[in-house]
């Protein structure tokens, strides 16, 4: 071990690591202050041992230097409070915010090492494949995945507590039990507060509990599963609903277990139904095939063919999204528009730095008039969530603005647009790019890649690569999410992980 620069500490404990104890497992502020102070005192990463107040420093006590903990912490306390700020890339700040929630006890040491290296090795910020950076990214990704699962799998049960008995108009208290893998409870609480603003609720976990009284969040100690209430009538209704929506013909057991891993089943009421429903799936599926088909639920749109082409005048570029939508809606520069319900233009903030471009709207998008709201959109949303990118912050669009399909019976089956059709739509996409001015474009699939780069780009051979357009804009090429949805279930998760790896450039790139 190297020699500490603090002479007092060094004289007292020549061989001791400097122990730094944070207040709780997710003490970002404490970590930030300590890291700054350590940097200011030139403490090498290997000279520091990190602890959080939930993880007692037993090894240090065992080695007979218990006093060192208090002594060194006191010595450095003053320095911790007024160390100068350190300038680091913003991506590192957001990486810290997420990775620090990981349950790995070495996370603080890793993050301090990266910080130290960012300051002393300028090349590190340009090396996204550095082992420390990759490790921290993986931790952040695991944390985001845990948050995603908690959002999806928390199940509330209602309790008629004291407050309810005194004021029944306020509604019962809803209580849920969940076992996160990482220290995510406080970070995720605002999500539940926004999502369930109108009800009173509590989420109990082994480490922390959260309460929302309808106006304010509060946190308490951990709980045990026994503290959570037993099943209620609402749960019976939910189970009946689940049983009804269960479609035996679409049962993909492996896929289901990937999405809803078995470790969560013991806290999910509907999981008790999975085994019996799955066992009967084959027979139910066969009965469904024999049943007479029901009539269509959706009316096909009236076809209106406008006699004139309405395109933006070249000299007066369209300046607002509503104006663009209006013009695109009437576009008949190719034949697709006449059969679609409406045009589907891009959506998202005009200040977005990231713009995703797909192929063309699908059935759901055509009906709702919004891009990526169907199954492909859900997969895109999942990936964004896991990458820590909010959908509301990115602009999402398509190379072709109308849904091209062929009718098979009552169903509208997606048909890939021809090059000519995509070329006819090109100027609408260009208008969107001109309005948004994104720092980075993401081409989802071959049609988008061709429209954005002006030439055919074999997607499989070039996935994960960033190309530069003639106008200097960068384009990341990757698969279209529908390509993943078309794969056999057993291949889908691996393909999804590879897709996520392509997209993880987005969290590393400062766009
Ligand atoms: N596929 C796309 O390419 N775009 C959408 O909006 C939906 C599905």
């Amino acid at each position: 071990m190297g020699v500490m620069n603090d002479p007092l500490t060094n004289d007292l404990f020549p061989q001791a690591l400097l122990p730094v104890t944070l207040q709780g497992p997710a003490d970002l502020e404490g970590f930030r202050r300590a890291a700054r102070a350590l940097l200011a005192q030139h403490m090498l990463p290997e000279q520091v041992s990190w602890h959080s107040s939930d993880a007692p420093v037993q090894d240090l006590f065992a080695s007979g230097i218990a006093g060192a903990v208090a002594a060194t912490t006191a010595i450095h306390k003053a320095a911790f409070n007024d160390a100068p700020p350190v300038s680091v890339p913003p991506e590192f700040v957001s990486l810290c915010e997420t990775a620090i929630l990981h349950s790995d006890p070495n996370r603080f040491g890793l993050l301090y090492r990266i910080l130290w290296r960012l300051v002393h090795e300028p090349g590190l910020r340009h090396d996204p494949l550095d082992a420390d950076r990759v490790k921290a990214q993986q931790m952040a990704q695991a944390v985001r995945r845990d948050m995603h699962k908690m959002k999806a799998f928390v199940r509330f049960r209602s309790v008629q507590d004291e407050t309810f008995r005194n004021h029944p108009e306020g509604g019962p208290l809803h209580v849920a039990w969940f076992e996160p893998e990482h220290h995510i409870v406080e970070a995720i609480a605002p999500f539940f507060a926004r999502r369930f603003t109108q009800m009173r609720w509590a989420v109990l976990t082994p480490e922390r509990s959260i309460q929302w009284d309808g106006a304010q969040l509060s946190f308490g100690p951990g709980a045990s599963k026994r503290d959570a209430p037993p099943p209620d009538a609402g749960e019976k209704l939910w189970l009946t609903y689940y049983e009804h929506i269960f479609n035996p013909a679409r049962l993909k057991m492996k896929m289901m277990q990937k999405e809803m891993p078995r470790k969560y089943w013991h806290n999910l009421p509907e999981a008790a139904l999975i085994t019996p429903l799955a066992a009967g799936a084959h027979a139910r599926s066969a009965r469904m095939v024999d049943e007479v088909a029901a009539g269509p639920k959706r009316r096909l749109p009236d076809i209106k063919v406008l006699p004139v082409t309405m395109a933006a005048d070249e000299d007066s570029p369209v300046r607002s999204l509503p104006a663009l939508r209006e013009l695109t809606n009437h576009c008949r520069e190719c034949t697709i528009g006449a059969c679609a319900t409406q045009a589907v233009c891009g959506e998202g903030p005009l200040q977005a730095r990231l713009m995703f471009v797909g192929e063309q709207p699908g059935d759901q998008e055509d009906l709702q008039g919004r891009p990526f709201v169907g199954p492909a959109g859900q997969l895109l949303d999942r990936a964004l969530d896991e990458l820590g990118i909010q959908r509301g912050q990115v602009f999402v669009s398509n190379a072709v603005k109308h849904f091209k399909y062929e009718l098979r019976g009552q169903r509208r089956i997606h048909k890939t647009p021809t090059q000519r059709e995509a070329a006819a739509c090109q100027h609408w996409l260009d208008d969107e790019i001109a309005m948004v001015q994104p720092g980075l474009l993401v081409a989802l699939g071959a049609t988008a890649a061709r429209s954005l780069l002006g030439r055919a780009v074999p997607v499989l051979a070039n996935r994960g690569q960033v190309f530069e357009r003639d106008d200097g804009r960068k384009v990341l090429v990757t698969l279209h999410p529908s390509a993943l949805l078309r794969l056999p279930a057993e291949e889908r998760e691996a393909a999804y992980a590879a897709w996520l790896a392509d997209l993880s450039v987005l969290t590393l790139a400062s766009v």
Side-chain angles (χ1 to χ4, degrees):
M1 185 188 32
V3 177
M4 292 185 192
N5 285 4
D6 183 326
L8 179 52
T9 314
N10 200 34
D11 286 351
L12 285 172
F13 311 105
Q15 294 304 311
L17 291 173
L18 177 71
V20 175
T21 304
L22 301 173
Q23 289 174 356
D27 179 10
L28 180 65
E29 185 47 31
F31 172 76
R32 211 167 53 84
R33 277 191 300 123
R36 262 192 210 169
L38 294 167
L39 264 188
Q41 296 183 31
H42 309 289
M43 295 297 289
L44 294 172
E46 52 275 27
Q47 289 178 309
V48 186
S49 92
W50 293 89
H51 309 274
S52 63
S53 50
D54 63 316
V57 284
Q58 271 153 4
D59 46 347
L60 289 167
F61 279 81
S63 63
I65 53 168
V69 178
T72 51
T73 306
I75 287 162
H76 291 277
K77 209 167 224 157
F80 278 19
N81 286 333
D82 38 58
V86 185
S87 157
V88 288
E91 308 86 83
F92 177 68
V93 177
S94 62
L95 177 70
C96 273
E97 282 167 6
T98 311
I100 210 165
L101 307 181
H102 200 278
S103 54
D104 186 333
N106 299 320
R107 64 196 179 281
F108 302 116
L110 173 69
L111 293 173
Y112 179 57
R113 191 162 65 239
I114 298 177
L115 176 65
W116 172 275
R117 294 184 55 213
L118 280 170
V119 171
H120 294 91
E121 294 172 30
L124 181 63
R125 51 186 82 192
H126 307 296
D127 182 6
L129 297 181
D130 171 83
D132 280 346
R133 284 187 60 182
V134 168
K135 174 87 186 128
Q137 283 292 351
Q138 286 167 342
M139 282 185 181
Q141 204 152 313
V143 167
R144 284 193 290 266
R145 192 166 307 131
D146 200 29
M147 293 174 94
H148 181 75
K149 297 292 181 209
M150 185 160 174
K151 288 178 192 171
F153 297 146
V154 155
R155 299 283 182 268
F156 287 104
R157 289 168 174 171
S158 62
V159 181
Q160 303 198 348
D161 64 340
E162 204 49 37
T163 311
F164 175 79
R165 280 191 288 277
N166 294 336
H167 306 282
E169 70 288 355
L173 175 68
H174 294 84
V175 183
W177 168 252
F178 191 76
E179 294 163 60
E181 276 182 43
H182 303 289
H183 307 292
I184 59 173
V185 170
E186 296 194 3
I188 207 159
F191 164 83
F192 285 101
R194 280 194 306 277
R195 180 94 158 67
F196 302 106
T197 317
Q198 303 298 339
M199 64 190 216
R200 292 187 305 123
W201 54 262
V203 179
L204 310 181
T205 82
E207 189 175 280
R208 298 286 273 151
S209 58
I210 328 170
Q211 268 227 45
W212 171 254
D213 61 5
Q216 216 172 345
L217 276 174
S218 52
F219 298 91
S224 99
K225 191 172 179 181
R226 284 192 309 277
D227 301 325
D232 62 6
E235 187 163 305
K236 281 201 203 94
L237 259 179
W238 158 238
L239 289 178
T240 312
Y241 168 75
Y242 184 81
E243 207 167 353
H244 276 95
I245 59 157
F246 175 83
N247 181 349
R250 300 190 67 187
L251 178 67
K252 304 261 189 289
M253 209 55 191
K254 274 198 188 143
M255 185 64 188
M256 180 192 273
Q257 285 184 33
K258 287 273 189 205
E259 256 305 303
M260 193 197 275
R262 271 187 185 272
K263 68 179 174 198
Y264 296 105
W265 286 22
H266 66 288
N267 288 325
L268 289 174
E270 67 270 34
L273 292 176
I274 294 174
T275 309
L277 285 174
H282 189 69
R284 273 183 72 188
S285 182
R287 274 202 304 279
M288 271 171 53
V289 171
D290 290 343
E291 272 169 17
V292 182
K297 296 247 166 22
R298 170 175 27 80
R299 279 188 30 241
L300 292 172
D302 294 340
I303 297 179
K304 292 192 207 93
V305 180
L306 295 186
V308 286
T309 286
M310 293 188 62
D313 183 337
E314 277 195 358
D315 296 330
S316 58
V318 192
R319 290 192 205 286
S320 80
L321 282 178
L324 184 66
R325 188 163 299 124
E326 183 57 25
L327 286 167
T328 315
N329 214 16
H330 293 96
C331 176
R332 297 295 180 265
E333 289 172 57
C334 74
T335 54
I336 309 179
C339 301
T341 310
Q342 57 195 313
V344 178
C345 287
E347 72 172 22
L350 288 180
Q351 312 73 12
R353 306 303 299 131
L354 257 182
M355 178 163 170
F356 287 82
V357 180
E359 183 194 76
Q360 61 163 352
D363 182 75
Q364 285 302 312
E365 288 78 14
D366 170 79
L367 294 171
Q368 295 185 38
R370 297 183 51 213
F372 282 100
V373 290
Q378 281 158 23
L379 200 58
L380 180 63
D381 287 350
R382 177 182 160 195
L384 290 178
D385 196 25
E386 290 192 28
L387 292 167
I389 298 171
Q390 287 176 21
R391 164 108 182 213
Q393 290 177 335
V394 301
F395 197 87
V396 179
S397 191
N398 283 300
V400 172
K401 305 300 182 197
H402 283 106
F403 177 36
K404 180 176 178 185
Y405 59 88
E406 68 181 25
L407 276 176
R408 267 195 226 146
Q410 306 292 347
R411 297 179 57 212
R412 304 190 302 170
I413 307 295
H414 161 274
K415 255 190 114 179
T416 307
T418 62
Q419 269 182 45
R420 209 198 69 71
E421 288 157 345
C425 248
Q426 177 83 47
H427 62 96
W428 300 124
L429 179 62
D430 290 344
D431 282 338
E432 288 175 338
I433 295 172
M435 263 186 262
V436 178
Q437 303 267 342
L440 180 63
L441 290 141
V442 183
L444 299 169
T447 304
R450 179 187 274 275
S451 290
L452 290 174
L453 292 165
R455 62 186 169 87
V457 179
V459 172
L460 285 180
N462 293 286
R463 60 181 299 179
Q465 306 222 34
V466 176
F467 292 80
E468 195 166 302
R469 288 158 45 104
D470 292 342
D471 65 1
R473 291 193 192 289
K474 304 250 184 317
V475 181
L476 168 70
V477 171
T478 186
L479 304 186
H480 192 285
S482 300
L484 309 183
L485 294 173
R486 283 194 295 269
L487 289 172
E490 59 278 12
E491 289 171 31
R492 225 175 278 161
E493 271 307 298
Y496 173 75
W499 188 55
L500 209 56
D502 289 352
L503 294 175
S504 60
V505 176
L506 306 179
T507 55
L508 300 171
S510 55
V511 282

